[in-house]
């Protein structure tokens, strides 16, 4: 079991973002369209012409996703975090009988965290109509390893999407019917469709981790010359942006349709490799690789509540410099920024009884695929903890304290669903935060998970900020709690940068620096 002086942030920091970019939103999936399908279209056109003498030949009703040049048999990529290989990715797209298209994406992530090795497998199979604008007909999302084993099987039936969730040792669960997905077959490979058309492609991708649809846009950019195998080659470049991730993803392709590299900011990259090379992984210790080393330890006042500390940061993009009730920013003449981190309990006058109205129009009270606030087990557990407590902040503290006391601190027992966390009662900071947020929402308290870094001094004695996750609840005003460390007010050693699953923070990994502590 990891000791409490070690950060509990799961190695999948950035991985969910990566999954959403590469697989959750159907990523570029590449294989040659069989000639059989094209022949089918030609035969159909000829038949139609024969029935209508003198009529012009009908245009082939095949999506551009099958017309774009691509390597046959799928492609493998090595996945690199700060130039260290942490996984591999396979993708393929083929035509099926019956004028259908199948897209396969598989990602394996493996890294070391302290003394533990974490491995996660995420595989998606999607089937579409093969015609232009062909609809998404079905999908299977399989996850194994870190995060728990489960499978989502989705099928379009009538005017809705039916999804069944399958887990080992558990009965199959039929989720509430979802709206018909707006995703089309062109969204399975926007990169090549955009290059084939020579123009921007816009669509909607159904995310495989939360089953929400997100607008996705791919733009053709100026080509670049790069060295491949010692030879200078001119590569096409496209940039894809998802409304969920909000991080431009740059892909580079040869003239014959081979994708050679995908850049996710400056620190994450997918590189085309043979199957053998792609599956040859480094055993990377993620905590040490991604931490932000401090020039000196933080003062004791940083852990007091109320308390505060000032950090001078370098390479913090302007979009992250937004003042909040806990963080204030002051730009320095040399381009650095002084960040003041503060921690204080919510004002007694501002606290409200529950249920509390959500200032974000219900977004922070939703029951989702991961935050199962409507699950009977979650509701029952929350009621047994807070009973008749009406004060929202008092109830929030009770729920956070219960999670701290009842979840075993065990990195190797991760889970992506709140009910799974409740059942196994163990995990790291992501499990602590997920279960707390689910019970808060079930209790009528708006809440969300917070991504950021927290101050720790690990076993090597180096003061540093490590990636972590905690909780923010609205109790009449926003307040932050940390159920992993039993903090009813997350102290000023917590530096927030985004919310769970927000890939905008990915470019900060390996780039953010702290040059001074005050």
């Amino acid at each position: 079991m990891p000791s409490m002086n070690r950060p509990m942030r799961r190695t999948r920091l950035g991985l969910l973002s990566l999954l959403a970019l590469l697989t959750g939103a159907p990523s570029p999936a590449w294989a040659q369209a069989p000639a059989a399908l094209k022949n089918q279209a030609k035969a159909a056109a000829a038949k139609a012409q024969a029935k209508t003498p003198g009529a012009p030949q009908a245009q082939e009703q095949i999506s551009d996703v099958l017309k774009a040049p691509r390597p046959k048999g799928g492609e493998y990529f090595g996945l690199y975090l700060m130039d260290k290989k942490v996984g591999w990715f396979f993708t393929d797209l083929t035509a099926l009988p019956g004028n259908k298209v199948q897209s396969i994406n598989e990602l394996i992530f493996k890294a070391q965290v302290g003394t533990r090795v974490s491995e996660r497998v995420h595989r998606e199979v999607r089937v579409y109509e093969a015609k232009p604008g062909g609809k998404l007909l079905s999908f299977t999302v399989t996850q194994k390893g870190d995060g728990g084993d489960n499978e989502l099987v989705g099928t379009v039936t009538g005017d809705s999407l039916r999804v069944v969730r399958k887990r080992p040792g558990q009965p199959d669960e039929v989720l509430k019917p979802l709206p018909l997905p707006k995703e089309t077959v062109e969204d399975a490979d926007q990169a090549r469709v955009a290059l084939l058309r020579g123009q921007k492609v816009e669509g909607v991708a159904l995310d495989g981790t939360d089953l929400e649809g997100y607008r996705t846009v791919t733009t053709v950019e100026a080509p670049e010359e790069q060295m491949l195998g010692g030879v200078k080659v001119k590569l096409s470049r496209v940039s894809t942006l998802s409304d969920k991730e909000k991080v431009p993803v740059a892909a580079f392709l040869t003239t014959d349709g081979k994708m050679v590299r995908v850049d996710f900011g400056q620190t994450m990259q997918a590189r085309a490799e043979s199957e053998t090379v792609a599956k040859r992984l480094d055993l990377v210790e993620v905590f040490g690789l991604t931490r932000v080393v401090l020039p000196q330890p933080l003062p004791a006042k940083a852990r007091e509540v109320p308390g505060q500390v000032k950090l001078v940061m370098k390479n913090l993009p302007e979009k992250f410099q937004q003042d909040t009730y806990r963080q204030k920013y002051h730009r320095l003449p040399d381009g650095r920024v002084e960040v003041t981190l503060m921690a204080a309990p919510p004002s007694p006058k501002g606290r409200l009884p529950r249920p509390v109205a959500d200032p974000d129009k219900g977004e922070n009270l939703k029951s989702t695929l991961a935050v199962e606030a409507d699950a009977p087990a979650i509701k029952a557990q929350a009621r047994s903890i807070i009973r008749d407590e009406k004060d929202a902040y008092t109830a929030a503290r009770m729920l956070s304290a219960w999670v701290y006391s009842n979840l075993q601190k065990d990195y190797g027992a991760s889970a992506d669903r709140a009910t799974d966390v409740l059942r196994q009662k163990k995990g790291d900071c992501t499990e602590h935060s997920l279960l707390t947020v689910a019970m808060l929402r079930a209790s009528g308290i708006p809440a969300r998970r917070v991504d950021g870094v927290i101050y720790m001094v690990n076993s090597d004695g180096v003061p540093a900020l490590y990636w972590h996750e905690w909780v923010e609840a609205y109790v009449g005003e926003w307040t932050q709690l940390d159920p992993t460390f039993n903090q009813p007010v997350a102290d000023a050693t917590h530096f927030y940068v985004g919310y769970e699953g927000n890939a905008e923070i990915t470019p900060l990994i390996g780039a953010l620096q702290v040059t001074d502590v005050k």
Side-chain angles (χ1 to χ4, degrees), residues 417-478:
R417 309 286 186 257
T419 53
D420 290 340
V421 178
L422 180 60
R423 187 179 69 255
Q424 68 185 26
K425 289 188 173 64
K426 52 187 176 181
D428 60 31
C429 67
T430 56
E431 283 69 46
H432 285 66
S433 299
L434 175 57
L435 181 55
T436 302
V437 167
M439 291 198 297
L440 283 165
R441 292 185 184 183
S443 304
I445 303 172
R448 54 198 178 194
R449 292 179 283 168
V450 176
D451 273 339
V453 289
I454 184 175
Y455 172 64
M456 304 288 294
V457 179
N458 213 340
S459 56
D460 60 6
V462 176
L465 301 176
Y466 291 85
W467 294 96
H468 184 55
E469 184 175 292
W470 60 100
V471 171
E472 189 170 48
Y474 188 77
V475 297
E477 60 186 78
W478 287 107

Side-chain angles (χ1 to χ4, degrees), residues 351 391-402 440 481 486 488-489:
R351 287 157 51 173
D391 180 73
Y393 180 53
T394 301
R397 287 186 299 165
M398 294 169 69
L399 293 171
S400 180
W402 185 92
L440 283 165
L481 311 89
N486 198 28
V489 176

Side-chain angles (χ1 to χ4, degrees), residues 153-455:
V153 180
T155 308
V156 171
T157 56
D159 59 353
S160 65
L161 175 63
R162 181 179 185 271
V163 180
V164 179
R165 179 186 175 203
K166 302 180 178 183
R167 294 172 292 175
Q170 300 290 319
D172 288 354
E173 175 188 0
V174 180
L175 305 184
K176 294 179 180 179
L178 299 173
L180 287 175
K182 297 180 180 179
E183 178 180 323
T184 69
V185 67
E186 287 81 17
D187 296 321
D189 190 355
Q190 284 194 3
R192 284 187 173 82
V193 172
L195 285 175
L196 179 69
R197 297 175 178 175
Q199 62 185 30
K200 180 174 68 175
V201 173
E202 184 174 329
V204 176
L206 183 72
D207 185 86
T209 60
D210 62 17
L211 301 185
E212 297 279 349
Y214 296 93
R215 177 175 174 267
T216 305
V217 179
T218 298
T219 305
V220 179
E221 300 183 342
E224 296 185 9
E225 286 191 344
Q226 296 186 16
M227 297 296 293
L228 292 180
V231 179
K232 186 175 290 187
V233 177
K234 189 173 184 179
L235 298 176
S236 300
R237 173 177 172 141
V238 295
S239 179
T240 300
L241 184 65
S242 162
D243 276 359
K244 178 181 182 180
E245 306 305 331
K246 301 177 183 177
V247 176
V249 177
F252 300 86
L253 299 91
T254 61
T255 55
D256 59 355
K258 180 180 180 181
M259 187 167 289
V260 297
R261 200 179 82 233
V262 184
D263 291 346
F264 310 89
Q266 297 180 347
T267 57
M268 301 192 74
Q269 189 177 84
R271 305 172 189 170
E273 296 173 344
S274 68
E275 179 179 356
T276 302
V277 173
K279 293 181 178 181
R280 190 185 305 144
L281 305 183
D282 302 328
L283 192 56
V284 179
E285 206 294 304
V286 174
F287 282 156
L289 181 67
T290 61
R291 68 183 179 181
V292 181
V293 176
L294 300 180
Q296 65 191 67
L298 295 188
K301 65 180 181 180
R303 295 198 179 279
E304 298 174 358
V305 178
Q308 74 171 43
V309 67
K310 293 185 178 182
L311 304 176
V312 178
M313 295 185 174
K314 185 178 179 181
N315 301 329
L316 180 66
E318 185 175 345
K319 67 179 180 179
F320 292 100
Q321 301 175 32
Q322 304 296 321
D323 286 352
T324 70
Y325 66 100
R326 285 184 56 101
Q327 297 176 189
K328 303 296 181 184
Y329 300 85
H330 174 64
R331 297 179 192 175
L332 302 178
D334 59 4
R336 296 180 300 166
V337 59
E338 181 183 86
V339 185
T340 301
L341 306 179
M342 302 166 287
S347 168
K349 294 182 179 180
R351 287 157 51 173
L352 295 175
R354 61 184 186 90
V356 182
D358 182 13
D360 292 333
K361 300 180 180 179
E363 187 67 25
N364 302 299
L365 287 169
K366 285 173 57 177
S367 182
T368 69
L369 192 62
V371 185
E372 301 165 295
D374 285 345
I378 297 294
K379 289 184 173 182
Q381 185 61 66
R383 282 195 302 267
S384 71
I385 296 168
I386 62 176
R387 298 184 183 276
D388 296 326
E389 178 57 55
K390 295 299 183 184
D391 180 73
Y393 180 53
T394 301
R397 287 186 299 165
M398 294 169 69
L399 293 171
S400 180
W402 185 92
V403 170
Y404 168 79
S405 299
N406 288 272
L407 261 62
Q408 179 184 342
K409 311 301 183 281
D410 185 353
Y411 173 79
S414 302
D416 288 340
R417 309 286 186 257
T419 53
D420 290 340
V421 178
L422 180 60
R423 187 179 69 255
Q424 68 185 26
K425 289 188 173 64
K426 52 187 176 181
D428 60 31
C429 67
T430 56
E431 283 69 46
H432 285 66
S433 299
L434 175 57
L435 181 55
T436 302
V437 167
M439 291 198 297
L440 283 165
R441 292 185 184 183
S443 304
I445 303 172
R448 54 198 178 194
R449 292 179 283 168
V450 176
D451 273 339
V453 289
I454 184 175
Y455 172 64

Side-chain angles (χ1 to χ4, degrees), residues 81-108:
L81 173 62
M82 296 174 64
D83 212 33
K84 299 289 185 180
K85 186 183 283 189
V86 294
W88 58 268
F89 181 68
F90 171 76
T91 183
D92 191 15
L93 186 145
T94 56
L96 298 177
N99 292 327
K100 296 179 181 179
V101 175
Q102 176 178 270
S103 170
I104 298 176
N105 296 281
E106 184 173 9
L107 183 144
I108 282 75

Side-chain angles (χ1 to χ4, degrees), residues 107 109 119-123 142-151:
L107 183 144
F109 178 89
E119 184 170 4
R120 182 182 182 97
V121 177
H122 185 101
R123 176 182 170 87
T142 305
Q143 294 179 333
K144 296 181 179 180
D146 180 28
D149 295 354
N150 75 94
E151 186 173 76

